[in-house]
Amino acid sequence: MCGRMATLLPHDAMAQLFGAAMANDLPDVPNYNVCPTVSVAVVTSETTVRRLRPMRWGFIPHWYKAANGGPLLINARAETIAEKPAFKAACRARRCLIPAAGFYEWERPDGGEKLPWFVQRADGAPMVFAGIWQDWEGDGQRLTTCAVVTTEATGEIARIHHRSPVILEEGDWGKWLGEEGHGAALLMQPPSEGVVRTYRVGKAVNSNRASGPELLEPLED
């Protein structure tokens, strides 16, 4: 799964990387501890123009009467995304890219204390998650929201957790965004061997109030 991430790349660098027009109200970066329900920078493609825009991380189905009117949907399972009522329309028509420096995952050896890890690309490039998005209006609010698509974990990630975000390679960005015809469903796979690296970090990140670059420092043996 993906329940916490870090975003470090400046907005102008993100806009250049994706060839996207940049919105004026993007969330502050860097953010070393991005938690659900906060705003994240997301790439969409609309009428052949890519946009870098803010969205609330936590997908809200249209039938929710309030933003907290049901389960917090930060992830969407690739195996069922096309059938789930909450996600199936977005999967067909509202796919997005969610860039990050990487994400945190926790293991619990022998059912004991939760130990945090950081997962990033082995080549140091930004990590780009497959995402879906949804406009929602209700309870006097209007929000644009998103979720990270996840799949079964393999390799490095599987040693920590059984789920992984779908991590897209640059050559697949256009296909996921719907710019290059059909075939997006074939992209919902675990990352290939060697794409990511993982390392232990300190337990400070167990708190969603923690912040600062020290959260990403490798834990010394």
Side-chain angles (χ1 to χ4, degrees), residues 26-112:
L26 293 166
D28 292 339
V29 289
N31 185 340
Y32 297 90
N33 192 8
V34 179
C35 300
T37 74
V38 305
S39 181
V40 292
V42 169
V43 179
T44 60
S45 183
E46 301 159 48
T47 61
T48 72
V49 176
R50 289 183 181 179
R51 296 177 58 202
L52 182 66
R53 48 190 295 209
M55 293 189 187
R56 174 195 187 265
W57 183 20
F59 191 97
I60 306 177
H62 66 84
W63 61 80
Y64 278 24
K65 301 298 185 184
N68 61 352
L72 181 60
L73 304 176
I74 61 172
N75 297 153
R77 293 175 67 96
E79 298 88 344
T80 57
I81 193 172
E83 291 82 36
K84 287 285 187 181
F87 301 134
K88 61 182 182 181
C91 180
R92 288 195 301 270
R94 294 186 300 278
R95 298 190 296 269
C96 62
L97 309 176
I98 304 176
F103 66 98
Y104 299 96
E105 193 53 84
W106 282 261
E107 66 169 342
R108 192 183 296 231
D110 302 318

